[in-house]
Amino acid sequence: SDNLFPQAISAINRQSAIHRGILNNKVIYTTGWGFTFDETNKTLDAFVKKANNKDETLRSVVRKIITDKLHSGNAFLELVTDAKKSFLNIFHKDYTTARVGKGGDTIKLHSNWASILTNRKELVTIPLYPEFREIDGQQRSIYHFKSYEPEYTNYGLPSWFAAMDSAGICYKTNKWNISRLDNSFISSGVFLIEGNISKVDADKLVKDLKAQYTGEGKQGKILFMTKQLGDAGKTSGSVFTPFSNVSDADWTNLHKQSTSDLIIAHNWFRSLSGIAEPGQLGNSQQIRNEYQLALNTVITDEQEGILEVLLKIIKSEMKIDDSFLKFVNKPPLSL
């Protein structure tokens, strides 16, 4: 509703350790170890080694494209040339800065979409490839990579979208564990403070105790109550009554379940994510087998989608008809 869905996706990708670990490994394996190509073609060789005037290699730009596409289902590749098309530079554009324009034939870039209504000066509109437009003396175009999803025309959705709640559970269970550590594993409970103290003093005491003995957010909070002394100053003293905590197993099971759901939603493999169960550390053969499965399904599919676009651009804009380009893939363990 606030047009900040890409920012929300980006925040989720930074919060869940398991989710982020899977994404990082998918990016590493999908990016591969560079490209094989016709090195006798000096134009293509120079382009692979230097894809833009920022001295980024083609692999560096492609890695960012793959990262964005796996993270969000969307990635943006900008093409910059001159009127004579005497050169070609390609740049990755952060998916959180891009929005599809009305009509679906342009991409609008802005560094901070939260302030778009008060700051439209930075807004740049670039046509979708193969159309080019002169901006600041250069011809610019942009290609939008997007993961297909039924009912979504303008944007793609990440493959893991169905496991968004699972990513949230992983994040929340970690926060719960941090709260337990902050509270020295003391259960929440009721703290009855007895004594003739004023409301101001009582509020200050409660504030000081909360600062020292309660955790993040509302986790581990303690209910404080004050009780005035009885007749003749008799007192039974201040008392802390803890609440019993029997939910540890539920939290542990939730974390395990969310981890499994994330792996399934990512269409990925446990051994390639660095995840091991107690007593099931895996073996070299399992890693090789699962890597081969990932290569023949997820990895190759993503790579071919990138190569199709790159070869189209190289052929059309660089006038290289007989070019070929392939990712170099290596298994995590040698044979």
Side-chain angles (χ1 to χ4, degrees):
S1 62
D2 58 7
N3 199 29
L4 297 178
F5 181 73
Q7 278 71 14
I9 289 290
S10 182
I12 290 172
N13 291 337
R14 286 191 293 267
Q15 289 175 343
S16 171
I18 299 296
H19 174 55
R20 185 57 177 261
I22 295 172
L23 283 172
N24 288 346
N25 279 282
K26 289 182 74 175
V27 169
I28 291 171
Y29 287 119
T30 305
T31 302
W33 295 86
F35 300 94
T36 57
F37 58 96
D38 182 7
E39 296 184 15
T40 62
N41 189 313
K42 300 302 181 183
T43 303
L44 183 58
D45 181 63
F47 181 68
V48 171
K49 293 177 180 177
K50 184 179 178 181
N52 54 48
N53 58 6
K54 293 183 179 180
D55 290 331
E56 289 185 293
T57 64
L58 180 62
R59 181 179 184 273
S60 178
V61 175
V62 168
R63 180 186 176 92
K64 295 176 183 177
I65 293 296
I66 291 172
T67 298
D68 279 5
K69 191 166 183 290
L70 293 177
H71 277 225
S72 71
N74 298 272
F76 298 89
L77 181 70
E78 184 183 15
L79 289 73
V80 179
T81 184
D82 59 6
K84 297 181 180 179
K85 293 190 176 182
S86 59
F87 70 92
L88 176 67
N89 285 337
I90 61 172
F91 300 89
H92 155 265
K93 291 298 180 182
D94 183 350
Y95 74 91
T96 64
T97 67
R99 299 293 187 276
V100 177
K102 289 184 179 179
D105 56 353
T106 60
I107 299 296
K108 296 182 180 294
L109 302 176
H110 195 280
S111 61
N112 184 8
W113 281 94
S115 65
I116 185 64
L117 296 179
T118 57
N119 181 18
R120 299 185 65 88
K121 293 181 180 179
E122 294 184 16
L123 188 65
V124 178
T125 301
I126 302 177
L128 280 173
Y129 186 79
E131 298 297 323
F132 283 82
R133 177 181 298 167
E134 183 176 348
I135 302 174
D136 298 330
Q138 295 178 321
Q139 295 292 323
R140 297 171 65 179
S141 180
I142 198 163
Y143 189 90
H144 181 190
F145 294 89
K146 54 186 177 182
S147 299
Y148 171 74
E149 179 72 21
E151 298 186 321
Y152 285 77
T153 304
N154 293 324
Y155 297 94
L157 281 184
S159 61
W160 57 266
F161 188 76
M164 183 179 290
D165 289 340
S166 297
I169 289 173
C170 282
Y171 167 68
K172 289 293 186 180
T173 51
N174 286 337
K175 284 294 184 182
W176 175 74
N177 284 326
I178 290 174
S179 179
R180 294 184 70 201
L181 289 170
D182 288 343
N183 291 311
S184 299
F185 296 94
I186 297 174
S187 302
S188 302
V190 178
F191 202 150
L192 180 62
I193 304 171
E194 192 169 29
N196 290 325
I197 57 177
S198 66
K199 185 178 185 305
V200 174
D201 290 336
D203 289 343
K204 184 178 183 305
L205 177 61
V206 168
K207 182 179 179 180
D208 291 342
L209 288 171
K210 281 185 175 180
Q212 295 182 50
Y213 297 110
T214 60
E216 185 173 346
K218 294 184 178 180
Q219 302 177 47
K221 289 294 187 183
I222 298 174
L223 173 62
F224 292 93
M225 301 178 67
T226 59
K227 177 183 178 182
Q228 298 296 321
L229 287 175
D231 296 337
K234 293 181 179 180
T235 177
S236 57
S238 299
V239 179
F240 174 69
T241 305
F243 296 138
S244 61
N245 187 356
V246 294
S247 63
D248 286 22
D250 292 338
W251 282 98
T252 302
N253 292 334
L254 271 175
H255 193 78
K256 289 182 179 179
Q257 183 62 49
S258 64
T259 298
S260 297
D261 290 345
L262 280 169
I263 294 172
I264 293 171
H266 275 284
N267 193 24
W268 200 235
F269 302 91
R270 185 176 293 270
S271 69
L272 301 181
S273 304
I275 301 172
E277 296 291 346
Q280 297 179 1
L281 299 180
N283 53 59
S284 299
Q285 190 59 46
Q286 178 188 357
I287 295 174
R288 291 193 190 98
N289 291 342
E290 292 192 345
Y291 171 75
Q292 199 62 42
L293 285 171
L295 180 64
N296 293 334
T297 54
V298 180
I299 296 173
T300 300
D301 182 59
E302 291 289 346
Q303 290 178 344
E304 289 300 319
I306 300 292
L307 287 176
E308 182 180 345
V309 174
L310 288 178
L311 289 173
K312 179 181 178 181
I313 291 172
I314 290 171
K315 181 178 180 180
S316 177
E317 308 306 324
M318 300 178 69
K319 310 302 181 184
I320 303 176
D321 293 333
D322 59 345
S323 63
F324 73 91
L325 199 66
K326 291 291 183 182
F327 280 88
V328 176
N329 296 307
K330 294 181 182 179
L333 296 173
S334 66
L335 298 177

